[in-house]
Amino acid sequence: MGIRQWPVTSKEDAKQLIVWWAEYYGVDIPIALCIIEKESGFYSAAKNKSSSAAGLGQDIISTFNSTAIRMGHPEWNSHEHVFNAESNAQLNMWLMAQDGVTHWVVWPSCL
């Protein structure tokens, strides 16, 4: 199952997790890094004050939970894993590989 809860990772560690999972899933690394930087600043404990968006990819709860199920990790839930940098990086890079970058409104500025 991997690490369930991390302390807040450094920005450099978060970047390395994004790079690792982007390579693993075949996602364009500069675009992935740009999106995550704009969404959370590589701060794994980021939380939007006006929505349920949270974590590195600023996923809303329903997207996080449905993506975890789609990728075969129904045990991941937004309350325990959205701030886990490892699972959040993996989930977001999987989502980019499967659905493209349009889940993130900042994507046009990263092309």
Side-chain angles (χ1 to χ4, degrees):
M1 179 160 50
I3 298 171
R4 289 188 62 167
Q5 189 148 357
W6 282 38
V8 175
T9 58
S10 71
K11 290 182 180 187
E12 192 55 41
D13 287 344
K15 286 180 189 177
Q16 291 305 311
L17 287 166
I18 296 299
V19 168
W20 198 95
W21 286 110
E23 286 178 349
Y24 183 84
Y25 289 118
V27 171
D28 184 282
I29 293 170
I31 291 174
L33 288 171
C34 178
I35 288 171
I36 300 303
E37 180 177 30
K38 289 178 183 295
E39 290 290 347
S40 67
F42 301 107
Y43 180 52
S44 62
K47 171 71 179 92
N48 187 306
K49 293 177 184 169
S50 61
S51 77
S52 66
L56 291 172
Q58 289 296 285
D59 307 291
I60 60 171
I61 289 173
S62 60
T63 299
F64 188 94
N65 290 338
S66 65
T67 302
I69 291 167
R70 285 176 58 203
M71 64 188 291
H73 286 288
E75 75 280 5
W76 290 2
N77 64 67
S78 59
H79 299 291
E80 292 182 12
H81 289 86
V82 74
F83 297 116
N84 176 316
E86 181 183 25
S87 55
N88 196 276
Q90 182 180 2
L91 181 137
N92 279 281
M93 295 307 100
W94 185 90
L95 187 58
M96 283 186 197
Q98 296 299 308
D99 295 356
V101 296
T102 58
H103 285 280
W104 297 270
V105 298
V106 300
W107 73 268
S109 64
C110 292
L111 299 180

